[in-house]
Amino acid sequence: AQSVSQHNHHVILSEAASLELGCNYSYGGTVNLFWYVQYPGQHLQLLLKYFSGDPLVKGIKGFEAEFIKSKFSFNLRKPSVQWSDTAEYFCAVNRKNAGNMLTFGGGTRLMVKP
Amino acid sequence: ETGVTQSPTHLIKTRGQQVTLRCSSQSGHNTVSWYQQALGQGPQFIFQYYREEENGRGNFPPRFSGLQFPNYSSELNVNALELDDSALYLCASSLNWGDTEAFFGQGTRLTVV
């Protein structure tokens, strides 16, 4: 079974600071990778996804993530955060061609100070 | 808005009771998955339905069961509720069974007392 680790449980940044959230997964086969965001009181929204191709993936709201297969990592980045990025971020993985059953990490709660 | 709607939004039940949660998938989506999100944790996969059949299950006991209807809406049933079942229950729909993204509903907050 696969598992996902998010190393930072809580992150506090000031506006305009750069963001990098770590995500590592354990699974020996081929995977799809996702980052979801959960704003306070809202549903989980997809930020970006990786299925194949260019390992540097660009998502919505200026977020990007890089898949490094050798490190089993899919870290999320944003060059300059805004107060409105305050939310909880979840990394998720599923096995390729095996349905949409997602395994999520424990989440990282990001607070951006104005 | 994702087009995935869940009802009810909040629910309080007593230990030992049974509960049914409902989910309407996004138009055109034939795959529905259910997740349990305990406070402070990431969602955990319960099971998935594809064209009215369960085709994947996580590490949840049999008292967690489900249905998918011909219009692809779905129900999650939990029998013999325990205090630890208190959580946010999320429904997600996908266009198909394969490598596609999942769209989540707002969730149902279940409190077992």
Side-chain angles (χ1 to χ4, degrees):
Chain A
Q2 60 261 36
S3 65
V4 178
S5 297
Q6 293 182 240
H7 318 296
N8 316 98
H9 298 292
H10 292 89
V11 173
I12 302 174
L13 295 173
S14 298
E15 275 194 315
S18 64
L19 171 72
E20 180 159 4
L21 302 182
C23 172
N24 285 88
Y25 68 94
S26 66
Y27 179 65
T30 313
V31 296
N32 301 314
L33 297 151
F34 307 83
W35 275 97
Y36 281 88
V37 62
Q38 194 169 35
Y39 298 103
Q42 294 190 28
H43 61 272
L44 275 170
Q45 298 175 40
L46 184 69
L47 271 179
L48 46 80
K49 60 184 184 281
Y50 174 81
F51 287 157
S52 64
D54 189 344
L56 184 61
V57 180
K58 294 198 184 298
I60 62 171
K61 305 187 181 189
F63 287 91
E64 65 177 33
E66 185 176 13
F67 173 43
I68 304 179
K69 191 175 180 180
S70 61
K71 294 185 178 180
F72 297 89
S73 71
F74 191 55
N75 292 353
L76 180 72
R77 299 194 293 250
K78 186 171 183 178
S80 176
V81 295
Q82 301 173 312
W83 176 78
S84 58
D85 294 323
T86 294
E88 189 153 20
Y89 293 80
F90 293 95
C91 181
V93 63
N94 64 16
R95 291 181 294 148
K96 197 170 283 297
N97 300 320
N100 295 315
M101 295 158 274
L102 293 165
T103 299
F104 283 85
T108 297
R109 194 172 293 273
L110 171 66
M111 178 184 293
V112 180
K113 297 184 294 184
Chain B
E1 287 299 322
T2 63
V4 180
T5 58
Q6 293 185 242
S7 63
T9 53
H10 295 85
L11 200 54
I12 300 174
K13 288 286 191 178
T14 303
R15 190 170 49 182
Q17 285 187 314
Q18 179 265 344
V19 69
T20 297
L21 311 181
R22 294 178 175 84
C23 172
S24 292
S25 57
Q26 189 164 319
S27 177
H29 288 191
N30 60 23
T31 304
V32 172
S33 303
W34 286 91
Y35 293 81
Q36 180 195 67
Q37 187 178 14
L39 205 59
Q41 298 182 26
Q44 290 207 347
F45 173 72
I46 302 174
F47 44 57
Q48 178 177 91
Y49 280 82
Y50 170 63
R51 295 190 172 182
E52 302 179 59
E53 292 199 6
E54 183 181 302
N55 76 336
R57 190 176 184 92
N59 190 24
F60 280 81
R63 59 189 185 83
F64 285 79
S65 63
L67 280 174
Q68 188 180 32
F69 300 99
N71 65 356
Y72 302 135
S73 66
S74 178
E75 284 183 357
L76 164 66
N77 299 289
V78 187
N79 293 322
L81 283 167
E82 301 176 1
L83 296 179
D84 283 349
D85 295 333
S86 295
L88 182 67
Y89 288 85
L90 298 169
C91 170
S93 75
S94 306
L95 186 60
N96 217 324
W97 178 87
D99 296 332
T100 60
E101 65 186 83
F103 294 83
F104 283 83
Q106 290 265 29
T108 294
R109 171 76 60 189
L110 172 65
T111 302
V112 182
V113 297

